[in-house]
Amino acid sequence: MDKLGIYIHIPFCMRKCAYCDFYSIEDMDRVSAYVEALIAQIRSFRSMGFRHLVDSVYIGGGTPSVLSGEDIRRILTAVRSSFSVSNEAEITIEVNPGTLDTSKLSAYREAGIGRLSMGLQSADNRELKMLSRIHTREEFESSFLLARLEGFENINVDVMYALPGQSRETLAATLDYVMALSPEHISFYGLKLEPGTPFDGDPQITAAIPSEDVQYEMYLSAAKKMEDAGYMQYEISNFAKLGMECRHNLKYWNCEEYLGFGPGAHSFFGGRMFSYAKDITRFIAMPEDSVALFEENYIPTEREIAVQYVMLGFRLKRGIDTAAYEARFDDDFEARYQEKMKPFLLKKYILKTKTGYRLSKKGMLISNYILSEILDFKEDEA
Ligand code: SF4
């Protein structure tokens, strides 16, 4: 039976953060109708759901923890009644401090959720305020400890760098604080000024963002700090204790199949790539009519999938396994990419490994540039 990951999008947030371009709304009056629509959409896949074994479910957002524990339980019941879900499936929910309580956490446990992903971002209350997050460091800590008390033994904490006004010292203090709590996983992202967000084009924000050189130092010293403490980097932005990597996200980076539900969700399923429009009104009105909801829907060529595979594979610390690439795509990796990789190999942005190639730490810092040079996104079928 083929393995499958499921992503479920919850597009609600208490308040929109000033830097965020994820699809979410603040109108909580629509939660009930949305949950019903989501369940209907999940159930509409029932006829094909049992052909796969679901080994990961990821409930993301938005802020899934604004829903009640009962809503989350009903959504997961719909997944289980429409798909074969492995007993060992990794089931994750994103939660935000300030939206959690004991009853939600115990409902998550009862629903089979074993992994929490907590959006801390910074342990500095001034930085949190500037990001317009709804929580404080103290609220995060209460939520984290409550989750431990409820028996969650697999917790990710999100941390951001390159924040306006952030210094090397405040970032180091955030990481020290997080690691003292000993979560199993840390996601470490740089702030990007996304078009259309309040941060984008705000001259005060732009002026307060650390310089590129400082950002590089922040990234390299943070990676070292985490690795010294036993959080091994396995992806450009992700660090985990041994064996605690996020299995669901690894599916994306390994170009494996996943099925997304909800507005804005993407899928790679049955050889097809599709995504739904970021339109909750349309979604609630016709959740079972995939055709009406599609934003895109196409069958990628083998070459397009191979390009994705290389692009995503280079995000991983272990990089590209050339034998695995060749077995999957019947294509000679070195013949295709060696010439373009040469300048980056010479400058050690790309390193040769026993099984293929990977980015060095300094290569990871400029991964987008390297990949745009190596990969021709319009590669021919030839
Ligand atoms: S809580 Fe998360 S998803 Fe919601 S606006 Fe803030 S960053 Fe975006």
Side-chain angles (χ1 to χ4, degrees):
M1 225 182 198
D2 289 339
K3 304 274 178 64
L4 179 69
I6 285 184
Y7 173 79
I8 297 167
H9 191 65
I10 307 296
F12 296 96
C13 289
M14 303 282 282
R15 185 174 71 208
K16 200 75 194 159
C17 301
Y19 60 92
C20 174
D21 74 338
F22 292 147
Y23 178 59
S24 65
I25 61 169
E26 297 170 358
D27 180 3
M28 297 297 155
D29 290 343
R30 310 188 81 181
V31 166
S32 306
Y34 180 72
V35 170
E36 297 312 320
L38 190 57
I39 288 172
Q41 188 185 51
I42 292 167
R43 290 204 171 124
S44 72
F45 277 76
R46 195 182 184 125
S47 60
M48 55 190 101
F50 291 102
R51 293 181 214 149
H52 294 76
L53 183 65
V54 173
D55 59 351
S56 71
V57 179
Y58 194 102
I59 307 174
T63 307
S65 52
V66 298
L67 265 57
S68 68
E70 174 61 11
D71 281 340
I72 296 294
R73 188 195 63 73
R74 289 184 60 225
I75 291 165
L76 284 173
T77 299
V79 171
R80 288 203 169 86
S81 64
S82 310
F83 294 87
S84 297
V85 180
S86 159
N87 289 336
E88 281 81 45
E90 175 194 83
I91 305 182
T92 304
I93 186 167
E94 288 179 354
V95 296
N96 275 340
T99 60
L100 270 186
D101 55 38
T102 312
S103 74
K104 279 185 191 173
L105 286 164
S106 69
Y108 297 165
R109 296 282 299 161
E110 279 163 28
I113 294 173
R115 185 171 185 273
L116 299 181
S117 180
M118 302 185 89
L120 169 64
Q121 318 311 347
S122 167
D124 183 307
N125 282 338
R126 280 167 313 170
E127 290 172 3
L128 287 173
K129 198 167 176 199
M130 178 272 308
L131 290 171
S132 48
R133 301 291 305 196
I134 59 166
H135 65 274
T136 60
R137 161 189 172 136
E138 293 71 26
E139 284 167 325
F140 162 79
E141 193 165 319
S142 309
S143 296
F144 186 93
L145 297 176
L146 205 56
R148 286 295 198 216
L149 276 178
E150 284 298 320
F152 284 93
E153 294 174 350
N154 190 356
I155 302 181
N156 167 61
V157 176
D158 288 340
V159 173
M160 294 178 79
Y161 73 101
L163 302 179
Q166 189 180 41
S167 65
R168 296 175 191 83
E169 291 72 29
T170 59
L171 173 61
T174 288
L175 285 170
D176 286 338
Y177 168 78
V178 169
M179 291 188 299
L181 290 168
S182 198
E184 285 64 37
H185 190 287
I186 300 173
S187 291
F188 183 66
Y189 292 96
L191 175 75
K192 300 257 177 319
L193 294 181
E194 302 291 353
T197 59
F199 267 15
D200 180 39
D202 180 329
Q204 278 184 324
I205 292 294
T206 311
I209 286 181
S211 69
E212 254 182 31
D213 286 350
V214 173
Q215 289 186 31
Y216 284 2
E217 277 177 41
M218 284 176 158
Y219 180 84
L220 293 176
S221 61
K224 180 168 186 327
K225 194 184 246 302
M226 287 187 273
E227 292 198 323
D228 287 349
Y231 291 92
M232 302 319 292
Q233 182 170 28
Y234 68 101
E235 194 265 348
I236 290 179
S237 307
N238 286 282
F239 298 74
K241 291 184 181 174
L242 196 64
M244 303 309 283
E245 297 85 2
C246 177
R247 281 157 36 200
H248 182 82
N249 286 342
L250 278 167
K251 280 185 185 294
Y252 300 137
W253 299 316
N254 287 324
C255 243
E256 292 167 13
E257 287 205 315
Y258 55 91
L259 192 51
F261 294 102
H266 288 250
S267 300
F268 175 34
F269 183 65
R272 189 173 279 278
M273 288 194 170
F274 54 91
S275 64
Y276 298 121
K278 295 172 178 174
D279 182 343
I280 192 170
T281 303
R282 211 190 319 164
F283 184 82
I284 288 173
M286 50 183 94
E288 293 164 72
D289 187 346
S290 291
V291 175
L293 296 175
F294 281 144
E295 183 170 76
E296 62 172 3
N297 172 28
Y298 67 100
I299 298 175
T301 64
E302 191 71 355
R303 276 298 330 134
E304 284 173 325
I305 299 173
V307 168
Q308 282 271 328
Y309 180 93
V310 174
M311 187 175 75
L312 296 168
F314 266 123
R315 290 193 64 89
L316 293 168
K317 171 93 177 277
R318 67 176 137 82
I320 302 291
D321 179 328
T322 50
Y325 170 89
E326 284 163 20
R328 181 161 174 181
F329 299 106
D330 192 21
D331 187 45
D332 185 330
F333 182 85
E334 291 187 337
R336 186 175 287 276
Y337 294 114
Q338 180 74 26
E339 208 43 43
K340 288 178 179 168
M341 288 196 300
K342 218 180 227 169
F344 300 109
L345 282 160
L346 276 172
K347 291 186 177 159
K348 299 202 180 336
Y349 286 104
I350 295 179
L351 304 175
K352 179 105 181 70
T353 66
K354 280 187 191 145
T355 54
Y357 297 89
R358 71 175 178 87
L359 295 180
S360 62
K361 282 265 192 307
K362 65 176 186 173
M364 285 182 174
L365 281 165
I366 55 163
S367 61
N368 287 346
Y369 170 69
I370 294 174
L371 291 170
S372 69
E373 290 294 302
I374 294 175
L375 298 171
D376 179 352
F377 292 98
K378 295 190 190 79
E379 281 178 22
D380 290 330
E381 278 296 299

